[in-house]
């Protein structure tokens, strides 16, 4: 076997990825992937802009890559050996596909003559990820000739381009390789014929803009801002909202809360007024971002017959309220900038009324005195540093943060809201923590257990991630659901206590640990160098506390 | 929503599975799966023959189910909620597909109107597992009417029948469900119209048998017995071998070693004599079972031009030596019984010569004095109780066991040799340990780390699994491969030391722990109630020890 061809083509593959902006590579050890891993390591050693992470557990590796990609808004490349290793990527790929995160998956494979013929570590890897990837291609890195060389150079660049094209998502390159697998590390990378991409940013035409302007002018416009990780349109959305006095119902993951036109507590308000108070009802709804965490908001939206504008091309009309009546399938920042430039400054009672409700609701919240799953969020809101990053686990944490986080400081809130799994949360947060700044993870004990392997990356790379674990010994969310009525089987099937000793977990991964029982202790632990903070909770008490809070809000707001 | 229809159909689904022989269910907690989980729990409570396990980590759950199914030779049903939970099953499914283990995967899903429309926890689950399953179907459990009821009853039975039909493998039932999800636990299961299956066991015709007999009579027949978990043909194969004096090269996973016509050390022999000594060369080869662990044996086979008979229908000619010249695609036990009844008792020098080589090789092995990765296997061979079960991890352990395990006592050796992954090993072994008897797991530190979550099942269900961990702090196999030459990047990419404190791991999962440094300590730990035994090793020393042993064998056997 000609290892010059292999070596040169692997260089082309990597050059192609790098040419299209890849800086991060997450590799899992294996034999079949040897030529790519070795040349990659060699190039990373020589290039200060490239970064290589090694993660033994491929499931964790894929979520780690997802964490880097979604928080830094960059394409990330994964590399693994053949067989079940490649299958381990699927959960993170499904998440990336739905949350539109650009990943490029390099799975090395046995060659054709060793596929489905009893050879070891050979599963069918062609189309392994089915509909969970945008595209799946194969590259033959050992085929000689200039045509194949050009194909490898082109296709590797194309894989990144497609991953980055709206809607962004994962792309799979399957790479069959024959032995011998050792490349020649003395061969220099060949020149790459690079591919330049000028992304189209559709602007509204004057006619389109004029129509939109007319339809929004003088209306009570309510903006609903769903989860959105890119920072492309946040500023202009706030400007538009302030200029036109249009209130924004901002999901916690929209990362807009804490500014004056933003309403944070709409989910609590909708529990008291499922149809909204009359004075808060809009004429027109303008949506940006993904599916809101608040199911109540979506249910409310589903009942509306008024015009609903959906701005943005990333999410392809994924609107399970089915309420959208008009799509503006263009880049959000561009459209919102055009609107801002064309709509007049205007005052409106409508914003004021929302602000009044919000203020009364916040004033009616119980004082933050005892530490529980709700006040924990409020305390984090007060204590976490400005500009820090908070990764939030699915299930209860994201719901509580959505309800109780006001956004006192500008922070980045992040969560896996494509498929909403509780798997891979620690690893994704670890991936987030590779970027500069201060990083926090809020997670329950079950999700922590599910992805405990992710802690290895935190330890190994000394990632500055502070982990706050709400330990209610099981699945807290089920106590809020109808399942709680099925008492005979509840703990077995839904509560599922794991009796995990979190102090031991922290010891195993060499993380400094503290259990906090009060808000003061929590504040102190957050201020100190503690990396792993345990907050004990009780699932039943937690439900009662949530119910008591709702009763309190009801009597304060509904009875007047 | 009519919960009577749902309840009755869920009963039909479960009755169908049970009617076709399902006794084990492995459930992961979730909301969408509620109606099935609840009715299942209710029925398990009332039926002493059904068994329900709950595993929070779906990846681990699927391997756990695989472990039950492959060691007990029974179909096992998995149940999970929608989204990435279902994606987590893929690695174990890929393994089950290649190792022909009957699993039925029940994934609950969002209904059509919540699919790919931005609704939470909804990924595309139709054909999620692609080519890794034998069949994938959908059932609508909430559709009323007698036709659908009959369909559910039939299809649930069919899923097990297909999973059990040769070649066995995984079958996927995707189950979309609408809220409300609570079934009525007071409704009794409806009558099931059951499906009886009479499996065809093809016998050879008199003509076929007569031809085969003629072709084998008086020949030097060498039997190669690959991995095989079913016990259907072991006895008759040994009888045939003894009657005709045909030697059996038996893979450690063929579970035949320790009887007089079986040769265990052929892999070592092939290292000394890659073409075999002339006196050992056969006229005809007769193969049963899967792909042997020994790549050297397959390479030797690939070079042969003599007739190679492959008996068995399970593996569909998956023979990466491409040496097979004749397939007897029928049930092994049947064919072997027919052969035994029709071939005469005969003595042969051929067997004796193999036995002589085997004896000389064993006599030339170094004395078992110091504990290392090789003598560990020999000591287990001596110490583990008769009839116990030993699960072996992939990578180095399975290779060393194949080389150094003589099979002094009848034991069941088990390994995931479909896709040969190092993932899911602990969970699969835990699944094995649900059956009666004594159970052991031999595993390296990397594979242990990869599936540490599997230890939760060991702890939670108090499974009698003794775990022996070879801790050489990383991936030992790479030190034997050409990759070892790539010194600059070796530890980063291949060695990958995790510095895992195994004592802490044992503490976390409340397993009694002992580190053993000598063979005497190992014997003692095996005899005592220690559940987690750590054997320290060094990757470099290990290679040197293997090389020294080969030099020793060479000078003892080649020079005469």
């Amino acid at each position: 076997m000609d290892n010059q061809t292999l070596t040169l083509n692997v260089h082309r593959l990597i050059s192609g990825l790098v040419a299209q902006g890849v800086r991060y590579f997450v590799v899992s050890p294996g034999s079949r992937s040897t030529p790519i891993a070795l040349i990659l390591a060699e190039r990373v050693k020589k290039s200060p802009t490239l970064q290589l992470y090694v993660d033994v557990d491929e499931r964790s590796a894929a979520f780690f890559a997802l964490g880097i990609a979604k928080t830094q808004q960059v394409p990330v490349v994964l590399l693994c050996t053949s067989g079940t290793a490649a299958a381990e990527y699927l959960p993170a790929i499904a998440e990336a596909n739905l949350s539109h995160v650009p990943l490029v998956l390099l799975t090395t494979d046995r060659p054709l003559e060793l596929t489905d013929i009893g050879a070891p570590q050979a599963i069918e890897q062609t189309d392994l990820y089915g509909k969970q990837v945008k595209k799946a291609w194969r590259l033959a890195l050992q085929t000689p000739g200039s045509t194949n060389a050009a194909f490898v150079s082109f296709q590797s660049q194309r894989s990144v381009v497609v991953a980055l094209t709206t809607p962004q998502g994962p792309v799979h390159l399957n790479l069959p390789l024959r032995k011998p697998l050792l490349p020649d590390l003395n061969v220099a990378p060949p020149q790459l014929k690079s591919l330049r991409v000028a992304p189209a940013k559709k602007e509204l035409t004057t006619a389109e803009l004029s129509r939109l302007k007319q339809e929004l002018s003088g209306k009570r416009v309510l903006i609903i801002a769903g989860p959105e990780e890119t920072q492309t349109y946040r500023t202009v959305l706030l400007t538009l909202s302030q200029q036109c006095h249009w209130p924004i119902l901002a999901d916690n993951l929209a990362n807009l809360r804490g500014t004056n036109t933003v309403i944070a507590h709409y989910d609590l308000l909708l529990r008291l007024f499922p149809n909204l108070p009359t004075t808060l009802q809009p004429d027109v709804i303008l949506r940006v971002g993904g599916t809101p965490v608040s199911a109540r908001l979506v249910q409310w939206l589903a009942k509306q017959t008024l015009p609903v504008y959906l701005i943005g091309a990333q999410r392809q009309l994924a609107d399970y309220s089915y309420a959208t009546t008009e799509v503006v399938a263009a880049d959000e920042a561009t459209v919102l900038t055009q609107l801002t430039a064309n709509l007049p400054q205007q005052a409106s009672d409508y914003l004021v009324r929302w602000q009044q409700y919000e203020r009364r609701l916040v004033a009616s919240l119980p004082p933050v005195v005892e530490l529980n799953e709700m006040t924990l969020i409020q305390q984090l809101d007060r204590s976490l540093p400005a500009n820090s990053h908070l990764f939030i686990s699915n299930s209860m944490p994201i719901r509580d943060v959505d309800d109780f986080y006001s956004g006192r400081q500008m922070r980045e809130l992040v969560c896996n809201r494509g498929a909403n799994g509780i798997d891979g949360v620690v690893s994704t947060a670890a991936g987030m923590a590779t970027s500069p700044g201060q990083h926090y993870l809020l997670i329950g004990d079950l999700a922590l257990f599910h992805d405990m392997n992710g802690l290895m990356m935190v330890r190994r790379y000394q990632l500055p991630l502070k982990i706050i674990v709400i330990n209610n010994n099981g699945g807290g969310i089920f106590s809020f659901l109808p399942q709680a009525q099925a008492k005979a089987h509840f703990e077995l099937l839904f509560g599922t206590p794991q009796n995990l000793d979190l102090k031991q977990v922290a010891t195993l991964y060499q993380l400094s640990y503290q259990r906090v029982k009060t808000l003061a202790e929590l504040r102190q632990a957050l201020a100190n160098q503690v990396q792993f903070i345990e907050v004990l909770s009780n699932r039943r008490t937690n439900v009662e506390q949530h119910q008591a809070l709702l009763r309190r809000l009801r009597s304060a707001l509904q009875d007047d």
Side-chain angles (χ1 to χ4, degrees), chain A:
Chain A
M1 188 62 65
D2 161 22
N3 84 344
Q4 292 298 298
T5 297
L6 172 64
T7 303
L8 289 170
N9 279 331
V10 171
H11 270 303
R12 289 184 185 103
L13 169 67
I14 295 170
S15 297
L17 300 169
V18 171
Q20 293 305 322
V22 172
R23 297 290 170 266
Y24 293 93
F25 296 84
V26 182
V27 173
S28 295
S31 178
R32 196 57 47 171
S33 47
T34 293
I36 304 167
L38 277 177
I39 294 185
L40 185 59
E42 195 69 17
R43 292 185 55 166
V44 168
K45 201 174 67 179
K46 289 176 183 159
S47 166
T49 62
L50 302 184
Q51 181 83 42
L52 170 68
Y53 291 97
V54 177
D55 192 339
V56 166
D57 179 348
E58 295 84 4
R59 170 173 78 173
S60 167
F63 278 109
F64 187 79
L66 178 85
I68 300 175
K70 68 189 274 164
T71 53
Q72 300 206 40
Q73 299 296 312
V74 292
V76 177
V77 170
L78 279 153
L79 172 67
C80 71
T81 187
S82 68
T84 51
E88 293 277 351
Y89 284 167
L90 189 63
I93 291 174
E95 171 62 27
N97 186 43
L98 290 173
S99 53
H100 305 297
V101 178
L103 296 180
V104 177
L105 315 152
L106 307 182
T107 61
T108 51
D109 196 358
R110 305 265 150 163
L112 274 188
E113 69 273 18
L114 294 179
T115 303
D116 197 10
I117 188 78
Q121 226 177 315
I123 71 170
E124 181 55 76
Q125 289 181 203
T126 305
D127 294 329
L128 178 62
Y129 307 124
K131 291 192 178 172
Q132 318 300 323
V133 287
K134 287 180 73 175
K135 282 279 184 188
W137 294 308
R138 276 161 296 172
L139 292 184
L141 299 173
Q142 289 164 321
T143 300
S146 59
T147 307
N148 188 56
F151 176 64
V152 170
S153 302
F154 189 85
Q155 200 73 339
S156 62
Q157 296 187 73
R158 187 178 169 212
S159 69
V160 186
V161 172
V162 169
L164 286 171
T165 302
T166 306
Q168 299 188 339
V171 171
H172 178 203
L173 288 180
N174 193 44
L175 308 168
L177 290 165
R178 285 185 187 87
K179 288 181 182 176
L181 298 165
L182 277 196
D184 183 346
L185 294 186
N186 297 316
V187 170
Q191 201 62 35
L192 187 83
K193 191 174 148 196
S194 77
L195 179 67
R196 282 178 54 188
V197 182
K201 285 210 173 180
K202 190 181 171 297
E203 285 203 349
L204 297 183
T205 61
T206 315
E208 286 166 341
L209 186 63
S210 152
R211 198 185 118 220
L212 200 54
K213 186 180 152 186
Q214 199 175 2
E215 285 167 348
L216 297 175
S217 289
K219 299 279 169 59
R220 293 189 298 185
V221 177
L222 181 63
I223 300 175
I224 296 179
E228 177 54 59
E229 277 144 7
T230 66
Q231 301 192 17
T232 56
Y233 61 79
R234 286 184 202 163
T235 311
V236 61
L237 182 65
L238 288 173
T239 307
L240 177 66
S241 148
Q242 281 150 7
Q243 175 175 310
C244 298
H245 285 220
W246 293 344
I248 306 179
L249 308 191
D251 191 279
N252 67 126
L253 299 171
N255 287 304
L256 295 164
R257 291 185 182 176
T259 41
N260 63 334
T261 58
V262 167
I263 308 299
H265 296 87
Y266 53 87
D267 181 76
L268 290 174
L269 211 57
L270 282 164
R271 291 198 219 199
L272 311 185
F273 309 99
N275 295 310
L276 284 185
T278 319
T279 53
L280 300 190
Q281 284 163 14
D283 302 320
V284 176
I285 291 165
L286 207 146
R287 284 186 68 184
V288 289
T291 300
V293 168
S294 166
R296 260 166 227 96
L297 181 60
V298 178
Q299 285 154 11
W300 173 80
L301 203 52
K303 291 182 287 183
Q304 305 312 307
T305 52
L306 42 76
V308 177
Y309 290 80
L310 188 62
I311 301 180
Q314 180 83 299
R315 290 182 186 78
Q316 300 173 291
L317 256 177
D319 168 19
Y320 84 100
S321 76
Y322 324 125
T324 302
T325 57
E326 185 127 3
V327 191
V328 186
D331 174 66
E332 295 94 338
T334 311
V335 174
L336 294 171
T337 305
Q338 285 184 288
L339 278 177
T340 307
N342 284 276
L343 284 162
Q345 178 98 24
Q346 58 175 42
S348 137
D349 278 356
Y350 185 53
L351 173 63
V352 174
R353 280 189 224 110
W354 269 103
Q355 288 168 330
Q356 283 168 346
Y357 263 99
E358 168 100 324
R359 223 170 290 130
R360 281 175 56 204
L361 192 140
V362 171
S364 309
L365 287 172
V368 179
V369 178
E370 281 186 0
L371 178 57
N372 61 44
E373 297 191 25
M374 295 177 287
T375 57
L376 167 62
I377 311 296
Q378 294 168 297
Q379 189 60 57
L380 292 179
D381 198 3
R382 294 172 190 191
S383 298
L384 296 193
N387 300 312
S388 58
H389 300 75
L390 173 62
F391 200 97
I392 306 156
S393 177
N394 275 309
S395 208
M396 277 311 281
I398 189 64
R399 285 173 172 83
D400 276 338
V401 172
D402 198 41
D403 275 349
F404 299 107
Y405 181 83
S406 299
R408 297 188 165 214
Q409 307 269 12
M410 288 314 283
R411 300 184 193 95
E412 274 308 298
L413 269 52
V414 194
C415 180
N416 282 340
R417 290 305 283 185
N420 301 4
I422 64 155
D423 48 348
V425 173
V426 178
S427 298
T428 319
M432 169 182 82
T434 59
S435 64
Q438 289 169 289
H439 301 276
Y440 298 84
L441 165 62
L442 178 66
I443 190 169
D445 56 294
L446 272 197
L448 178 86
F449 167 71
H450 208 296
D451 187 26
M452 222 156 53
N453 281 7
L455 295 175
M456 185 56 94
M457 293 300 277
V458 176
R459 181 181 109 177
R460 186 155 177 213
Y461 290 97
Q462 299 283 308
L463 300 173
L465 181 69
K466 272 205 180 197
I467 302 166
I468 301 123
V469 186
I470 302 161
N471 186 359
N472 53 24
N473 199 16
I477 199 162
F478 295 110
S479 303
F480 289 87
L481 301 179
Q483 282 85 332
Q485 301 161 24
K487 296 203 193 308
H489 308 292
F490 185 78
E491 282 300 292
L492 172 72
L493 296 175
F494 304 106
T496 61
Q498 303 293 310
N499 302 305
L500 196 64
D501 183 336
L502 292 187
K503 189 175 181 180
Q504 290 293 347
V505 173
T507 306
L508 179 61
Y509 289 100
Q510 299 170 347
L511 304 170
S512 55
Y513 162 91
Q514 192 181 330
R515 180 186 286 175
V516 299
K517 291 186 183 126
T518 64
L519 290 166
E521 285 176 7
L522 173 64
R523 278 193 298 272
Q524 207 176 5
L526 289 170
N528 296 342
Q529 293 308 310
V530 185
Q531 248 201 298
F532 197 94
I533 301 171
E534 177 177 18
V535 179
L536 277 189
S537 180
N538 175 289
R539 287 182 264 130
R540 202 172 333 154
T541 314
N542 184 40
V543 172
E544 289 162 7
Q545 286 162 343
H546 277 77
Q547 288 167 341
L549 176 130
L550 271 183
R551 281 196 301 274
R552 182 191 174 109
L553 290 180
R554 249 183 214 117
S555 70
L557 274 84
Q558 280 182 332
D559 299 347
D560 57 12

